Amino acid sequence: MSRATVSVLPLTAADHSLLSTLAQARTAPRHHAERAGIVQQLATGRSVREAATRLALSRQRVRRCARRAAAVGVIRALDDLPRSGRPRQITPAARLWLVGQACAQPKSLGYPHELWTLRLLAGHARRLGPAAGHPCLATLVPSTVRTILQEQEVRPHKVRYYLERRDPAFDERLAAVVEVYQAAHRLQDVAPEGHRVAILSYDEKPGLQAIAPTAPDRPPQRGRHPTVQRDHEYKRLGTVTLSAAVDLVSGVVHHALTQRHRSCEFVAFLRRLDASYPAEWRIRLLLDNHSAHRSRETHRFLDSCPGRFELVFTPKHASWLNYVETFFSKMARSVLRHIRVVSRQELCERITAFIQACNDTPVAPKWSYGLGTPEARAAP
């Protein structure tokens, strides 16, 4: 390349500024800084030999950068140009066949596996691919399978759960639930003496395990172990069931701890609520479709006090609409997580202490899933 060819490199003021910045930057990629310096030297009219001498580079490297700049432009010359590379050994048709096999469950193809693994899918392709007209799959390896599946955004080794809508009356029940929250929000701005209805969100949390440690915990020690150390063995002491109802107007939590959650325990909880509110009030209860909530025993109790209770049921498989689930989540994350007790009675006492602390400073719930909007009533 001659001096004349090099001197005609087009450089604008912006190009000069960018090249000067890159040539002096300490955090820029090395090849960017090097090529920016080469282009600057050549743009001033210096020859390839002079530029190579000033930059302590080989003439071949300087000449290659100059040819690239003359061919594609100064700025694009800072990066490597795309190369042809090694041609793909696996044909597009073979890739489509492999993806199609990955989209079928292994058990439908005679394997005992529920999901594919890369090794299993590679072995399957090596065995059946050539017979299906794709001899290029005869030497397929798991890493290549991963690359092909990633390109097609197919992950047959993972499961993501979904919930199919199984309640034909979903929209009607959702509208009733939203109306309950709207009524509670309206009552939050009314003085207590003006209330004529109590609105509560109710559910049970069964199977709370009382787990006892087999060795004492070791607290964190600086320089030795930063976390609590706990022996991996434990002793099961039984379970308890927490029944709770959050007052959606005042934020007060009513609760009961029992061994089971049958109809008799639910009726006992209703009696507890009945004693907690004035006799002239109506108690509106938002709850799920558990069998105990619809049993004959429950209906007999409700018939014995007509007009006292109003049960509003959430749609089937829609517990996320019930605010009390938020309360259970808070308790599970702050109290029950990693809990160890010496008896089932201690577990009950600690749960009761947590609820009492919540009732000492109750917070009125603010349920805001698009209340009163068409989107809320049409939400899946």
Side-chain angles (χ1 to χ4, degrees):
M1 177 175 289
S2 64
R3 179 187 296 269
T5 304
V6 173
S7 62
V8 296
L9 289 178
L11 287 182
T12 63
D15 293 339
H16 274 294
S17 176
L18 176 61
L19 293 174
S20 298
T21 301
L22 289 176
Q24 299 174 6
R26 296 185 178 182
T27 58
R30 180 179 178 182
H31 66 280
H32 281 180
E34 179 181 288
R35 292 170 186 176
I38 292 174
V39 172
Q40 281 187 312
Q41 293 293 326
L42 297 178
T44 59
R46 293 189 174 90
S47 65
V48 171
R49 177 184 297 179
E50 294 171 343
T53 302
R54 282 179 170 269
L55 299 175
L57 299 174
S58 66
R59 299 180 189 178
Q60 182 181 5
R61 178 173 297 186
V62 175
R63 188 177 292 107
R64 187 165 54 245
C65 180
R67 290 172 179 170
R68 186 187 300 112
V72 300
V74 173
I75 302 303
R76 288 189 59 192
L78 298 178
D79 293 311
D80 293 332
L81 298 180
R83 303 178 183 179
S84 59
R86 179 182 178 183
R88 287 189 169 186
Q89 302 296 319
I90 302 178
T91 63
R95 291 170 179 267
L96 291 177
W97 180 87
L98 179 64
V99 172
Q101 296 295 299
C103 291
Q105 286 190 292
K107 61 183 180 182
S108 65
L109 300 176
Y111 296 96
H113 305 71
E114 184 70 17
L115 300 176
W116 288 109
T117 64
L118 296 177
R119 188 179 300 276
L120 178 64
L121 187 55
H124 173 77
R126 288 195 301 267
R127 185 169 57 258
L128 300 182
H134 307 293
C136 56
L137 297 178
T139 58
L140 187 67
V141 295
S143 60
T144 305
V145 173
R146 179 192 294 110
T147 301
I148 295 174
L149 296 180
Q150 287 178 346
E151 291 176 353
Q152 301 299 322
E153 297 184 357
V154 175
R155 298 173 178 83
H157 60 289
K158 292 187 176 182
V159 175
R160 177 177 294 176
Y161 289 91
Y162 76 99
L163 181 60
E164 184 178 354
R165 180 182 294 189
R166 294 181 174 89
D167 192 341
F170 184 92
D171 293 335
E172 293 78 5
R173 290 183 174 181
L174 174 60
V177 171
V178 171
E179 195 279 329
V180 168
Y181 288 115
Q182 288 178 324
H185 284 193
R186 288 192 296 267
L187 287 177
Q188 289 175 2
D189 300 326
V190 178
E193 56 271 14
H195 292 190
R196 302 293 296 179
V197 60
I199 304 177
L200 302 105
S201 173
Y202 170 83
D203 199 5
E204 300 97 355
K205 190 174 181 62
L208 298 178
Q209 293 196 58
I211 299 178
T214 57
D217 290 345
R218 298 177 181 177
Q221 291 186 10
R222 186 178 63 179
R224 298 189 62 183
H225 51 89
T227 65
V228 174
Q229 287 192 335
R230 172 174 290 171
D231 190 89
H232 70 279
E233 292 187 357
Y234 56 87
K235 182 180 180 181
R236 299 179 186 271
L237 304 177
T239 61
V240 298
T241 293
L242 170 64
S243 300
V246 180
D247 192 314
L248 298 178
V249 179
S250 64
V252 173
V253 181
H254 304 269
H255 82 287
L257 290 162
T258 58
Q259 298 299 315
R260 303 173 67 179
H261 59 297
R262 301 165 297 179
S263 298
C264 58
E265 283 82 13
F266 179 59
V267 170
F269 193 89
L270 293 180
R271 295 183 188 276
R272 181 190 296 260
L273 294 179
D274 185 37
S276 301
Y277 291 95
E280 66 274 11
W281 285 27
R282 187 174 78 257
I283 301 176
R284 181 182 291 182
L285 209 60
L286 178 63
L287 68 172
D288 60 20
N289 294 270
H290 192 274
S291 59
H293 306 160
R294 297 177 174 271
S295 66
R296 293 179 182 179
E297 185 176 351
T298 299
H299 281 291
R300 281 196 299 267
F301 171 76
L302 296 176
D303 293 339
S304 67
C305 49
R308 177 62 164 167
F309 289 92
E310 177 189 352
L311 305 187
V312 179
F313 294 97
T314 61
K316 295 180 181 179
H317 301 290
S319 60
W320 53 272
L321 287 171
N322 206 347
Y323 178 82
V324 71
E325 298 292 347
T326 302
F327 171 75
F328 286 156
S329 175
K330 176 182 177 181
M331 182 181 64
R333 287 181 284 109
S334 59
V335 177
L336 301 180
R337 185 169 178 260
H338 302 308
I339 192 170
R340 292 292 186 270
V341 295
V342 297
S343 66
R344 190 158 47 188
Q345 179 63 27
E346 181 188 347
L347 176 62
C348 295
E349 292 175 354
R350 292 172 68 173
I351 292 175
T352 301
F354 168 74
I355 295 177
Q356 184 59 49
C358 294
N359 289 337
D360 290 341
T361 56
V363 179
K366 297 293 185 180
W367 196 85
S368 58
Y369 190 79
L371 291 179
T373 64
E375 290 79 10
R377 297 181 181 271

